Amino acid sequence: KVQRNALAYRQLSRRDALYRAADRDLDSLGITPLPARLWARRCIFSLDGHPLLVTEVFLPPVLTLGRP
């Protein structure tokens, strides 16, 4: 049985390593320029006492979801 801890959210700035990695990867796909900040979340899952940290960085279009 997998257990999930609480989700943690954060904005990433250009100084963050995750931001720079996303910028590098998205640039290679032709997705530029990035906004000054990106949203990310992370969570620790556990299976039989073994933790797994999952981190997600959201693509810029997530900022426009729900807008007309």
Side-chain angles (χ1 to χ4, degrees):
K1 185 176 180 181
V2 176
Q3 294 179 328
R4 185 186 83 189
N5 292 351
L7 290 167
Y9 295 89
R10 177 178 158 186
Q11 280 190 328
L12 304 174
S13 71
R14 289 184 170 108
R15 294 183 308 230
D16 290 295
L18 281 175
Y19 182 102
R20 292 191 308 271
D23 186 33
R24 189 175 47 250
D25 291 343
L26 293 173
D27 185 51
S28 71
L29 296 172
I31 302 172
T32 57
L34 291 183
R37 298 191 177 274
L38 294 174
W39 279 98
R41 71 179 178 186
R42 70 180 182 182
C43 183
I44 297 175
F45 292 87
S46 294
L47 177 61
D48 296 327
H50 300 283
L52 173 67
L53 176 63
V54 175
T55 302
E56 302 166 281
V57 178
F58 297 99
L59 295 172
V62 77
L63 300 172
T64 62
L65 290 176
R67 290 186 188 165

